[in-house]
PDB file of all heavy atoms in Angstrom:
ATOM      1  N   PRO A1543      11.659 -27.794 -11.462  1.00 96.00           N
ATOM      2  CA  PRO A1543      12.604 -28.467 -12.205  1.00 96.00           C
ATOM      3  C   PRO A1543      13.470 -27.465 -12.941  1.00 96.00           C
ATOM      4  O   PRO A1543      14.672 -27.660 -13.205  1.00 96.00           O
ATOM      5  CB  PRO A1543      11.780 -29.282 -13.252  1.00 96.00           C
ATOM      6  CG  PRO A1543      10.537 -29.594 -12.541  1.00 96.00           C
ATOM      7  CD  PRO A1543      10.314 -28.307 -11.739  1.00 96.00           C
ATOM      8  N   GLU A1544      12.916 -26.339 -13.422  1.00 97.00           N
ATOM      9  CA  GLU A1544      13.722 -25.309 -14.122  1.00 97.00           C
ATOM     10  C   GLU A1544      14.637 -24.585 -13.111  1.00 97.00           C
ATOM     11  O   GLU A1544      15.768 -24.354 -13.515  1.00 97.00           O
ATOM     12  CB  GLU A1544      12.804 -24.320 -14.765  1.00 97.00           C
ATOM     13  CG  GLU A1544      13.402 -23.255 -15.537  1.00 97.00           C
ATOM     14  CD  GLU A1544      14.046 -23.715 -16.895  1.00 97.00           C
ATOM     15  OE1 GLU A1544      14.053 -24.900 -17.140  1.00 97.00           O
ATOM     16  OE2 GLU A1544      14.615 -22.872 -17.628  1.00 97.00           O
ATOM     17  N   ILE A1545      14.303 -24.386 -11.951  1.00 97.00           N
ATOM     18  CA  ILE A1545      15.046 -23.770 -10.842  1.00 97.00           C
ATOM     19  C   ILE A1545      16.243 -24.739 -10.627  1.00 97.00           C
ATOM     20  O   ILE A1545      17.451 -24.205 -10.592  1.00 97.00           O
ATOM     21  CB  ILE A1545      14.372 -23.553  -9.649  1.00 97.00           C
ATOM     22  CG1 ILE A1545      13.229 -22.418  -9.817  1.00 97.00           C
ATOM     23  CG2 ILE A1545      15.295 -23.035  -8.466  1.00 97.00           C
ATOM     24  CD1 ILE A1545      12.343 -22.177  -8.636  1.00 97.00           C
ATOM     25  N   LYS A1546      16.000 -25.875 -10.535  1.00 97.00           N
ATOM     26  CA  LYS A1546      17.064 -26.856 -10.235  1.00 97.00           C
ATOM     27  C   LYS A1546      18.046 -26.991 -11.360  1.00 97.00           C
ATOM     28  O   LYS A1546      19.262 -27.125 -11.224  1.00 97.00           O
ATOM     29  CB  LYS A1546      16.423 -28.289  -9.949  1.00 97.00           C
ATOM     30  CG  LYS A1546      15.753 -28.412  -8.650  1.00 97.00           C
ATOM     31  CD  LYS A1546      15.137 -29.864  -8.434  1.00 97.00           C
ATOM     32  CE  LYS A1546      14.463 -29.948  -7.040  1.00 97.00           C
ATOM     33  NZ  LYS A1546      13.797 -31.286  -6.884  1.00 97.00           N
ATOM     34  N   ARG A1547      17.540 -27.011 -12.651  1.00 97.00           N
ATOM     35  CA  ARG A1547      18.462 -26.995 -13.788  1.00 97.00           C
ATOM     36  C   ARG A1547      19.318 -25.839 -13.909  1.00 97.00           C
ATOM     37  O   ARG A1547      20.522 -25.961 -14.152  1.00 97.00           O
ATOM     38  CB  ARG A1547      17.509 -27.078 -15.062  1.00 97.00           C
ATOM     39  CG  ARG A1547      18.361 -27.192 -16.288  1.00 97.00           C
ATOM     40  CD  ARG A1547      17.543 -26.936 -17.631  1.00 97.00           C
ATOM     41  NE  ARG A1547      17.120 -25.480 -17.699  1.00 97.00           N
ATOM     42  CZ  ARG A1547      17.924 -24.473 -18.028  1.00 97.00           C
ATOM     43  NH1 ARG A1547      19.242 -24.782 -18.441  1.00 97.00           N
ATOM     44  NH2 ARG A1547      17.544 -23.322 -18.128  1.00 97.00           N
ATOM     45  N   ILE A1548      18.770 -24.574 -13.657  1.00 98.00           N
ATOM     46  CA  ILE A1548      19.631 -23.391 -13.696  1.00 98.00           C
ATOM     47  C   ILE A1548      20.612 -23.449 -12.543  1.00 98.00           C
ATOM     48  O   ILE A1548      21.825 -23.113 -12.865  1.00 98.00           O
ATOM     49  CB  ILE A1548      18.745 -22.103 -13.580  1.00 98.00           C
ATOM     50  CG1 ILE A1548      17.794 -21.992 -14.800  1.00 98.00           C
ATOM     51  CG2 ILE A1548      19.581 -20.853 -13.394  1.00 98.00           C
ATOM     52  CD1 ILE A1548      16.806 -20.924 -14.725  1.00 98.00           C
ATOM     53  N   HIS A1549      20.263 -23.949 -11.465  1.00 98.00           N
ATOM     54  CA  HIS A1549      21.178 -23.967 -10.355  1.00 98.00           C
ATOM     55  C   HIS A1549      22.390 -24.970 -10.647  1.00 98.00           C
ATOM     56  O   HIS A1549      23.527 -24.653 -10.377  1.00 98.00           O
ATOM     57  CB  HIS A1549      20.483 -24.467  -9.029  1.00 98.00           C
ATOM     58  CG  HIS A1549      21.365 -24.604  -7.800  1.00 98.00           C
ATOM     59  ND1 HIS A1549      21.597 -23.595  -6.976  1.00 98.00           N
ATOM     60  CD2 HIS A1549      22.069 -25.704  -7.293  1.00 98.00           C
ATOM     61  CE1 HIS A1549      22.420 -23.895  -6.053  1.00 98.00           C
ATOM     62  NE2 HIS A1549      22.620 -25.160  -6.200  1.00 98.00           N
ATOM     63  N   ARG A1550      22.101 -26.154 -11.136  1.00 97.00           N
ATOM     64  CA  ARG A1550      23.161 -27.055 -11.446  1.00 97.00           C
ATOM     65  C   ARG A1550      24.013 -26.609 -12.662  1.00 97.00           C
ATOM     66  O   ARG A1550      25.161 -26.743 -12.605  1.00 97.00           O
ATOM     67  CB  ARG A1550      22.419 -28.375 -11.907  1.00 97.00           C
ATOM     68  CG  ARG A1550      23.399 -29.509 -12.142  1.00 97.00           C
ATOM     69  CD  ARG A1550      22.651 -30.814 -12.355  1.00 97.00           C
ATOM     70  NE  ARG A1550      21.716 -30.737 -13.460  1.00 97.00           N
ATOM     71  CZ  ARG A1550      20.338 -30.741 -13.231  1.00 97.00           C
ATOM     72  NH1 ARG A1550      19.822 -30.838 -12.071  1.00 97.00           N
ATOM     73  NH2 ARG A1550      19.527 -30.712 -14.214  1.00 97.00           N
ATOM     74  N   ALA A1551      23.355 -25.904 -13.581  1.00 97.00           N
ATOM     75  CA  ALA A1551      24.196 -25.351 -14.743  1.00 97.00           C
ATOM     76  C   ALA A1551      25.098 -24.208 -14.295  1.00 97.00           C
ATOM     77  O   ALA A1551      26.226 -24.092 -14.833  1.00 97.00           O
ATOM     78  CB  ALA A1551      23.257 -24.981 -15.894  1.00 97.00           C
ATOM     79  N   SER A1552      24.616 -23.372 -13.435  1.00 96.00           N
ATOM     80  CA  SER A1552      25.272 -22.203 -13.004  1.00 96.00           C
ATOM     81  C   SER A1552      26.346 -22.411 -11.824  1.00 96.00           C
ATOM     82  O   SER A1552      27.370 -21.730 -11.816  1.00 96.00           O
ATOM     83  CB  SER A1552      24.409 -21.036 -12.636  1.00 96.00           C
ATOM     84  OG  SER A1552      23.568 -21.405 -11.499  1.00 96.00           O
ATOM     85  N   ARG A1553      26.029 -23.458 -11.082  1.00 95.00           N
ATOM     86  CA  ARG A1553      26.781 -23.544  -9.851  1.00 95.00           C
ATOM     87  C   ARG A1553      27.739 -24.909  -9.905  1.00 95.00           C
ATOM     88  O   ARG A1553      28.645 -25.049  -9.047  1.00 95.00           O
ATOM     89  CB  ARG A1553      25.971 -23.629  -8.570  1.00 95.00           C
ATOM     90  CG  ARG A1553      25.103 -22.442  -8.435  1.00 95.00           C
ATOM     91  CD  ARG A1553      25.880 -21.132  -8.199  1.00 95.00           C
ATOM     92  NE  ARG A1553      26.489 -21.147  -6.858  1.00 95.00           N
ATOM     93  CZ  ARG A1553      25.827 -20.747  -5.772  1.00 95.00           C
ATOM     94  NH1 ARG A1553      24.521 -20.467  -5.843  1.00 95.00           N
ATOM     95  NH2 ARG A1553      26.456 -20.938  -4.700  1.00 95.00           N
ATOM     96  N   GLY A1554      27.283 -25.719 -10.833  1.00 96.00           N
ATOM     97  CA  GLY A1554      27.989 -27.030 -10.932  1.00 96.00           C
ATOM     98  C   GLY A1554      27.714 -27.990  -9.875  1.00 96.00           C
ATOM     99  O   GLY A1554      28.368 -29.074  -9.772  1.00 96.00           O
ATOM    100  N   VAL A1555      26.628 -27.757  -9.111  1.00 96.00           N
ATOM    101  CA  VAL A1555      26.118 -28.773  -8.088  1.00 96.00           C
ATOM    102  C   VAL A1555      24.688 -28.822  -8.034  1.00 96.00           C
ATOM    103  O   VAL A1555      24.032 -27.946  -8.663  1.00 96.00           O
ATOM    104  CB  VAL A1555      26.669 -28.272  -6.709  1.00 96.00           C
ATOM    105  CG1 VAL A1555      28.208 -28.375  -6.538  1.00 96.00           C
ATOM    106  CG2 VAL A1555      26.103 -26.888  -6.320  1.00 96.00           C
ATOM    107  N   THR A1556      24.187 -29.887  -7.544  1.00 96.00           N
ATOM    108  CA  THR A1556      22.749 -30.005  -7.469  1.00 96.00           C
ATOM    109  C   THR A1556      22.081 -29.213  -6.404  1.00 96.00           C
ATOM    110  O   THR A1556      22.842 -28.843  -5.496  1.00 96.00           O
ATOM    111  CB  THR A1556      22.224 -31.483  -7.291  1.00 96.00           C
ATOM    112  OG1 THR A1556      22.896 -31.927  -6.092  1.00 96.00           O
ATOM    113  CG2 THR A1556      22.847 -32.390  -8.443  1.00 96.00           C
ATOM    114  N   MET A1557      20.875 -28.811  -6.542  1.00 95.00           N
ATOM    115  CA  MET A1557      20.086 -28.019  -5.460  1.00 95.00           C
ATOM    116  C   MET A1557      20.175 -28.897  -4.206  1.00 95.00           C
ATOM    117  O   MET A1557      19.949 -30.060  -4.268  1.00 95.00           O
ATOM    118  CB  MET A1557      18.736 -27.832  -5.997  1.00 95.00           C
ATOM    119  CG  MET A1557      17.833 -27.009  -4.969  1.00 95.00           C
ATOM    120  SD  MET A1557      18.306 -25.249  -5.032  1.00 95.00           S
ATOM    121  CE  MET A1557      17.480 -24.728  -6.572  1.00 95.00           C
ATOM    122  N   PRO A1558      20.477 -28.255  -3.090  1.00 93.00           N
ATOM    123  CA  PRO A1558      20.471 -29.004  -1.866  1.00 93.00           C
ATOM    124  C   PRO A1558      19.081 -29.498  -1.544  1.00 93.00           C
ATOM    125  O   PRO A1558      18.070 -28.895  -1.980  1.00 93.00           O
ATOM    126  CB  PRO A1558      20.976 -27.964  -0.832  1.00 93.00           C
ATOM    127  CG  PRO A1558      20.704 -26.673  -1.476  1.00 93.00           C
ATOM    128  CD  PRO A1558      20.853 -26.879  -2.887  1.00 93.00           C
ATOM    129  N   LYS A1559      18.957 -30.532  -0.802  1.00 92.00           N
ATOM    130  CA  LYS A1559      17.722 -31.067  -0.366  1.00 92.00           C
ATOM    131  C   LYS A1559      17.149 -30.318   0.837  1.00 92.00           C
ATOM    132  O   LYS A1559      17.908 -29.850   1.739  1.00 92.00           O
ATOM    133  CB  LYS A1559      17.840 -32.567   0.037  1.00 92.00           C
ATOM    134  CG  LYS A1559      18.088 -33.494  -1.194  1.00 92.00           C
ATOM    135  CD  LYS A1559      18.113 -34.954  -0.800  1.00 92.00           C
ATOM    136  CE  LYS A1559      18.309 -35.862  -1.981  1.00 92.00           C
ATOM    137  NZ  LYS A1559      18.327 -37.317  -1.604  1.00 92.00           N
ATOM    138  N   PHE A1560      15.913 -30.028   0.825  1.00 93.00           N
ATOM    139  CA  PHE A1560      15.315 -29.251   1.835  1.00 93.00           C
ATOM    140  C   PHE A1560      14.446 -30.132   2.766  1.00 93.00           C
ATOM    141  O   PHE A1560      14.113 -31.241   2.386  1.00 93.00           O
ATOM    142  CB  PHE A1560      14.255 -28.199   1.169  1.00 93.00           C
ATOM    143  CG  PHE A1560      14.877 -27.340   0.120  1.00 93.00           C
ATOM    144  CD1 PHE A1560      14.327 -27.058  -1.083  1.00 93.00           C
ATOM    145  CD2 PHE A1560      15.955 -26.604   0.424  1.00 93.00           C
ATOM    146  CE1 PHE A1560      14.878 -26.295  -2.011  1.00 93.00           C
ATOM    147  CE2 PHE A1560      16.623 -25.767  -0.456  1.00 93.00           C
ATOM    148  CZ  PHE A1560      15.943 -25.661  -1.733  1.00 93.00           C
ATOM    149  N   GLU A1561      14.337 -29.693   3.963  1.00 91.00           N
ATOM    150  CA  GLU A1561      13.602 -30.403   4.950  1.00 91.00           C
ATOM    151  C   GLU A1561      12.140 -30.585   4.549  1.00 91.00           C
ATOM    152  O   GLU A1561      11.557 -31.511   4.879  1.00 91.00           O
ATOM    153  CB  GLU A1561      13.682 -29.722   6.333  1.00 91.00           C
ATOM    154  CG  GLU A1561      15.011 -29.717   6.911  1.00 91.00           C
ATOM    155  CD  GLU A1561      15.112 -29.118   8.355  1.00 91.00           C
ATOM    156  OE1 GLU A1561      13.997 -28.735   8.838  1.00 91.00           O
ATOM    157  OE2 GLU A1561      16.203 -28.995   9.001  1.00 91.00           O
ATOM    158  N   SER A1562      11.569 -29.529   3.925  1.00 93.00           N
ATOM    159  CA  SER A1562      10.234 -29.592   3.387  1.00 93.00           C
ATOM    160  C   SER A1562      10.191 -29.079   2.004  1.00 93.00           C
ATOM    161  O   SER A1562      11.080 -28.139   1.617  1.00 93.00           O
ATOM    162  CB  SER A1562       9.255 -28.901   4.292  1.00 93.00           C
ATOM    163  OG  SER A1562       9.657 -27.487   4.441  1.00 93.00           O
ATOM    164  N   THR A1563       9.319 -29.502   1.254  1.00 93.00           N
ATOM    165  CA  THR A1563       9.095 -28.995  -0.067  1.00 93.00           C
ATOM    166  C   THR A1563       8.456 -27.585  -0.136  1.00 93.00           C
ATOM    167  O   THR A1563       7.539 -27.252   0.691  1.00 93.00           O
ATOM    168  CB  THR A1563       8.078 -29.820  -0.959  1.00 93.00           C
ATOM    169  OG1 THR A1563       8.657 -31.181  -0.972  1.00 93.00           O
ATOM    170  CG2 THR A1563       7.936 -29.316  -2.372  1.00 93.00           C
ATOM    171  N   PHE A1564       9.004 -26.668  -0.904  1.00 94.00           N
ATOM    172  CA  PHE A1564       8.437 -25.379  -0.894  1.00 94.00           C
ATOM    173  C   PHE A1564       6.995 -25.236  -1.298  1.00 94.00           C
ATOM    174  O   PHE A1564       6.660 -25.889  -2.370  1.00 94.00           O
ATOM    175  CB  PHE A1564       9.278 -24.360  -1.795  1.00 94.00           C
ATOM    176  CG  PHE A1564       8.778 -22.946  -1.759  1.00 94.00           C
ATOM    177  CD1 PHE A1564       9.278 -22.103  -0.866  1.00 94.00           C
ATOM    178  CD2 PHE A1564       7.806 -22.552  -2.604  1.00 94.00           C
ATOM    179  CE1 PHE A1564       8.905 -20.721  -0.809  1.00 94.00           C
ATOM    180  CE2 PHE A1564       7.443 -21.169  -2.653  1.00 94.00           C
ATOM    181  CZ  PHE A1564       7.926 -20.412  -1.656  1.00 94.00           C
ATOM    182  N   GLY A1565       6.227 -24.636  -0.521  1.00 94.00           N
ATOM    183  CA  GLY A1565       4.810 -24.436  -0.793  1.00 94.00           C
ATOM    184  C   GLY A1565       4.423 -22.990  -0.681  1.00 94.00           C
ATOM    185  O   GLY A1565       4.805 -22.275   0.246  1.00 94.00           O
ATOM    186  N   VAL A1566       3.705 -22.518  -1.745  1.00 91.00           N
ATOM    187  CA  VAL A1566       3.509 -21.052  -1.697  1.00 91.00           C
ATOM    188  C   VAL A1566       2.566 -20.617  -0.623  1.00 91.00           C
ATOM    189  O   VAL A1566       2.618 -19.481  -0.023  1.00 91.00           O
ATOM    190  CB  VAL A1566       2.765 -20.568  -3.092  1.00 91.00           C
ATOM    191  CG1 VAL A1566       3.811 -20.725  -4.179  1.00 91.00           C
ATOM    192  CG2 VAL A1566       1.604 -21.471  -3.372  1.00 91.00           C
ATOM    193  N   ASN A1567       1.621 -21.473  -0.144  1.00 89.00           N
ATOM    194  CA  ASN A1567       0.790 -21.091   1.017  1.00 89.00           C
ATOM    195  C   ASN A1567       1.489 -21.108   2.390  1.00 89.00           C
ATOM    196  O   ASN A1567       1.257 -20.255   3.165  1.00 89.00           O
ATOM    197  CB  ASN A1567      -0.427 -22.060   1.040  1.00 89.00           C
ATOM    198  CG  ASN A1567      -1.399 -21.942  -0.085  1.00 89.00           C
ATOM    199  OD1 ASN A1567      -1.569 -20.829  -0.632  1.00 89.00           O
ATOM    200  ND2 ASN A1567      -1.906 -23.061  -0.517  1.00 89.00           N
TER     201      ASN A1567
END
Side-chain angles (χ1 to χ4, degrees):
E1544 183 69 357
I1545 293 174
K1546 291 180 177 179
R1547 183 195 67 77
I1548 294 175
H1549 180 84
R1550 185 170 57 250
S1552 62
R1553 307 294 292 278
V1555 294
T1556 58
M1557 181 75 75
K1559 291 186 177 181
F1560 305 130
E1561 292 183 3
S1562 61
T1563 302
F1564 182 88
V1566 291
N1567 292 326

